[in-house]
Amino acid sequence: MPDPASPATSLPDPAPLAAPLPDPASPAASRPEPVSPAASLPAAAPEPPAGPADRPGYRAVFRVREFRFVFVAHLFSLLGVVVSELALTVLVYDLTRSPLLSSLTFALGFLPYLVGGTLLAGLTDRLPPRRILVVCDLVCSACVAAMVVPATPVAVLLVLRCAIAVVSPVFNGTRMATLADILGEGDLFVLGRSLLRIVSQSALLTGFAVGGVLLTVVPPRGALAVTAVTFLVSALLLRLGTARRPARAAGKAAASGLSGTWAVLRNRRVRALMLMFWVPPLFAVVPEALAAPYADEIGVSTAALGLLMCALPVGTIAGELFAGSFLSAATRSRIVLPLAVTGVLPYLLYAPEPGVALAVAALFLAGATGAYTLGLDAWFVAAVPEEQRGRAMTLMTAGMMTVQGIGMAGAGIAAEFAPVHTVVAGTGVVGTLCLLAAAAELRASGATEK
């Protein structure tokens, strides 16, 4: 599942998710955690050198031992989520023969994010981060294992799927905030986030293919059993490979629930930055959501449909790799607003109802503008107070997943009343106007100042 910080994702973030975590005031929650072999690791990597010739690249990120554990755990978690989504969708259809329930199984990966992101976000700063990550993986594994039981009814399968989506923002926000602890708040953090996004985007290209092959060998419940193991492996890697750190808000008064959410959003800079994270994916997902209807509209094959589905994530990966490998931190900061506000302009190429080649080119260009997220990440981590970092990042990722669901639903509704190519082209116009307004608020808030 793609990382929600990506501007053009169509799947929820791979983060596992958790059932209610222990109350921080309880004796169990207050007991010290055993020190792992990773506890002696440095709390943060050194700041990258300032000189362009010595600019750190992706290799520098992999030299940080803790990040290597986080990265491999991300791969296992991602595999678990993508395969479990596909297997569960197939299983529900096999049990019910209902296309509605099958599609609802997939949609439940988006819809509950807002609830979890607002109500559970405070956990990310009030509990030790490693404990949250490990417990979330274990609970996710338990939920998937419960899906494997043959007697589990369809209603319970959907509840388990929904529960995972409700608590997944907690894992996502905690992991993002922990990356800042591991890599520092400078360029290494930006590159580490970029690597996780690239892996998530790659899942759009290969994840479902792997799941499809697996389902030809084992039944859906067997595939779910495999994913339960991948979550256990992820939990083990995070437990043994990351250092024990105290809660960020330990010893500080921290508002909980909705009051804590409003405390974060009252900061105009943080609010403006979140808006810039939320608005692009709201519009970016429209061509993906309407790829199948558009292929039918222009009368092309399923192979052409595959190209339409792949073009956007391929463009996103290319843009991120170029920006992370060849651009300095200062340059990435300068291109944030120009790329962000023009991100959906290529959709205007849909206006004359283009063939596959031009449509693929438009989607690739739109995806490539996602390189702006590297600079935006740097602004965000610099703007958020450390004691609110976990909550703010949880809210940001939850919002991104929620607006993608809204964007997909809105695209479907609009396509009921207008041709698909007109809807996509209109998205280019409306989206650009909204992005210009978001960029103006970002400048007015002073969030672009370093």
Side-chain angles (χ1 to χ4, degrees):
M1 219 178 276
D3 193 300
S6 168
T9 60
S10 62
L11 296 173
D13 195 65
L17 334 178
L21 297 171
D23 189 313
S26 72
S30 62
R31 285 198 299 268
E33 294 186 1
V35 178
S36 77
S40 59
L41 296 173
E47 288 294 323
D54 299 323
R55 182 170 63 244
Y58 289 118
R59 290 183 181 179
V61 181
F62 281 114
R63 284 196 289 268
V64 180
R65 180 178 180 273
E66 271 193 278
F67 177 78
R68 294 198 298 270
F69 278 87
V70 172
F71 183 81
V72 177
H74 178 65
L75 291 177
F76 276 97
S77 177
L78 185 64
L79 176 63
V81 169
V82 173
V83 175
S84 65
E85 281 187 343
L86 180 59
L88 184 60
T89 301
V90 173
L91 177 61
V92 169
Y93 184 74
D94 286 346
L95 293 174
T96 65
R97 312 309 296 180
S98 168
L100 174 61
L101 287 177
S102 180
S103 62
L104 179 61
T105 303
F106 190 81
L108 286 176
F110 291 97
L111 302 181
Y113 258 72
L114 185 61
V115 176
T118 53
L119 298 183
L120 303 179
L123 293 173
T124 57
D125 292 319
R126 286 167 29 215
L127 295 173
R130 186 178 66 181
R131 185 189 305 172
I132 294 175
L133 295 175
V134 172
V135 169
C136 284
D137 261 329
L138 293 176
V139 173
C140 186
S141 180
C143 287
V144 176
M147 297 175 186
V148 177
V149 178
T152 306
V154 172
V156 175
L157 292 175
L158 296 178
V159 168
L160 290 169
R161 178 73 177 95
C162 190
I164 288 174
V166 166
V167 294
S168 62
V170 178
F171 184 96
N172 298 336
T174 302
R175 184 181 59 191
M176 191 191 300
T178 302
L179 275 185
D181 298 331
I182 294 172
L183 299 174
E185 299 178 7
D187 214 29
L188 288 183
F189 167 78
V190 172
L191 294 175
R193 287 277 298 131
S194 175
L195 280 169
L196 296 188
R197 275 196 302 267
I198 289 169
V199 171
S200 296
Q201 286 293 325
S202 299
L204 293 175
L205 305 177
T206 61
F208 285 124
V210 172
V213 171
L214 182 62
L215 287 172
T216 65
V217 180
V218 297
R221 293 190 192 275
L224 288 171
V226 172
T227 64
V229 175
T230 65
F231 287 121
L232 289 176
V233 173
S234 176
L236 182 64
L237 289 168
L238 292 171
R239 178 62 182 82
L240 298 180
T242 60
R244 183 184 65 188
R245 293 179 174 88
R248 290 176 187 82
K252 302 176 183 178
S256 60
L258 292 177
S259 60
T261 298
W262 293 124
V264 172
L265 295 178
R266 277 197 296 269
N267 184 324
R268 186 181 182 186
R269 289 191 178 197
V270 174
R271 190 171 64 243
L273 286 164
M274 284 193 181
L275 192 64
M276 187 53 75
F277 275 110
W278 292 342
V279 175
L282 174 65
F283 299 100
V285 298
V286 169
E288 284 186 308
L290 299 178
Y294 186 67
D296 183 63
E297 181 178 290
I298 62 176
V300 296
S301 66
T302 54
L305 171 60
L307 290 175
L308 292 172
M309 293 295 292
C310 290
L312 198 64
V314 168
T316 303
I317 293 170
E320 290 240 10
L321 284 174
F322 179 82
S325 301
F326 300 107
L327 302 183
S328 67
T331 301
R332 292 197 295 263
S333 183
R334 286 194 294 270
I335 66 174
V336 169
L337 294 183
L339 288 184
V341 300
T342 58
V344 295
L345 270 181
Y347 292 174
L348 294 177
L349 294 175
Y350 270 76
E353 195 178 27
V356 173
L358 187 57
V360 165
L363 294 172
F364 181 88
L365 288 174
T369 64
Y372 77 87
T373 51
L374 281 80
L376 196 61
D377 278 337
W379 293 353
F380 192 72
V381 75
V384 177
E386 183 178 0
E387 64 273 12
Q388 293 182 329
R389 186 176 291 159
R391 184 190 293 270
M393 291 179 174
T394 298
L395 289 172
M396 185 264 282
T397 56
M400 287 187 68
M401 294 310 303
T402 301
V403 299
Q404 286 181 76
I406 294 172
M408 290 179 176
I413 294 172
E416 291 290 329
F417 301 96
V420 174
H421 71 279
T422 302
V423 173
V424 177
T427 298
V429 176
V430 177
T432 300
L433 293 175
C434 292
L435 285 165
L436 285 170
E441 170 61 17
L442 197 61
R443 284 191 176 279
S445 71
T448 61
E449 299 170 4
K450 296 288 286 180

